[in-house]
Amino acid sequence: MSKISRRGDEVTDQVNQVVQEAAERAAAAGEAWRATPPAERATVLEGVADALLKHAEELWPAAAEETRLPEARLRGEIARTAAQFRLFADVLRDGGWVEAVIDHPDPGATPPCPDVRRMNHPLGVVAVFAASNFPFAFSVAGGDTVSALAAGCPVVVKAHEGHPRTSDLTASVVRRALPDPGLLGLVHGFETGAPLVKHPLVTAVGFTGSLAGGKAIQKLIDERPDPIPFYGELGSVNPVVVLPSADPAEVASGFAASLTLGVGQFCTNPGLLFVPAEGGFERAVAEAVAATTGGPMLTAKIREGYLRTSGRLAERLTVLAGGGAVDGVTPQVFAADLEAFADGLPELAEECFGPSAIVVRYRDPADLPPVLRRLPGSLTATVHAAGPEEARDLVPALARLAGRLIWNGWPTGVAVCWAMHHGGPWPASTAPAHTSVGAASIRRWTTPVAYQDWPQDLLPPELRDDNPLGVPQRVDGRLRV
């Protein structure tokens, strides 16, 4: 027993040492990085984008071997990852992300107002937990990493066990394009997660994964002497409401394609489909899903979770349709009346990660809002209808339910742009005001600092009256661009 204990202690010491070294290197590299002018950081990010595209022929085969995702998907994901770096180069050059605000002194105000100036600054070392389903776009060089680097923060990534070699290769490519390789740390193994979250140099955590994993990380953060921000994306059922005026054939084909895209392993997979009881919608969906095929899932653990959750649904609901499977899992769609579905909440609205969904039949659209209000928060909510008037009464419930509302489209596919919001009420996100995709995701890794009666020579350039960097400033309540 003593030998086993000593061996366990040795492993724990080694793990802690690996995390300690990565965090310390990141913190040291971060001092110069946060002082680097935004325009120079932008140039570095563009260099990373170029490097990812240059090394695509090395990266995608490694990812294909580990994840079994197809070449076209992986090439597209590398291009998307590079585009994220270019987007944040534009964000840095724009300057609006610092949210520079200047209020000149007003002794006549009640109470009197001194000279106060505020802007956002980088937090510090950011811990990122890589996701399983996007080995590039949500992994080592993914959205959490690039937005943190853009903000001026160094990053330590906990690699996902589903693609360790891809993680190493990606980190190597990115590090060679950075001014200091310590800006991107990488640790492997489940056991590195806890010491990384609890490390005193870590100032925030980004995570994309399961509800259980997110809760475990939050518990670790709560045990810190100084709890830190946690930005987690923990699961989403992404309800789709089909109104009577929609075309059954178009809805069915679009739903089947979205449901089975990437073997259903998307956080935006449409897990709930509300359809009219009349009009042939259910039959059309069944036929479309029956014509699909499944495939291999990313990891054995993910496959086991899918089979377990879909099996529970099969015990409680009617199996509407199943697709074929070639060397993998089978798409499964279940059906229930609106009343039975409502009686089964909240359990029936839990995410089943994979190509599985529930088709919920309703007779009157007026019956939907009370049920929609009982659903857990989602990343997306979708409406299919011929015109806006038919959907007007649903909007209040949907707007409180999800972070992105979609009209006559499908939720799979998240554009990387300035306006995108990829978040939502719990459990879709631990911080619904923040997004993990798009330009606004940089805000997660910043903290505001106000300067009162501060000398001009000591102010950051973004807050000086002469505005040498030309950033947007809100001066005495008026925005100056």
Side-chain angles (χ1 to χ4, degrees), residues 247-338:
D247 180 85
E250 290 184 4
V251 167
S253 61
F255 169 71
S258 184
L259 176 74
T260 57
L261 182 66
V263 199
Q265 297 167 112
F266 286 77
C267 54
T268 51
N269 203 46
L272 293 175
L273 184 70
F274 295 86
V275 302
E278 306 293 334
F281 288 92
E282 190 174 347
R283 182 178 65 254
V285 168
E287 293 173 354
V289 172
T292 66
T293 57
M297 301 196 84
L298 292 161
T299 68
K301 184 177 179 180
I302 292 174
R303 180 179 183 274
E304 291 167 4
Y306 171 74
L307 294 176
R308 183 171 57 253
T309 306
S310 60
R312 286 201 300 266
L313 291 174
E315 293 173 356
R316 300 188 59 176
L317 302 173
T318 301
V319 178
L320 178 63
V326 179
D327 187 28
V329 299
T330 301
Q332 292 285 321
V333 176
F334 307 93
D337 290 328
L338 184 64

Side-chain angles (χ1 to χ4, degrees), residues 239 241 372 381-383 391 394-403 405:
V241 177
L372 294 174
T382 302
V383 175
L394 297 176
V395 173
L398 294 176
R400 289 192 293 268
L401 174 61
L405 304 181

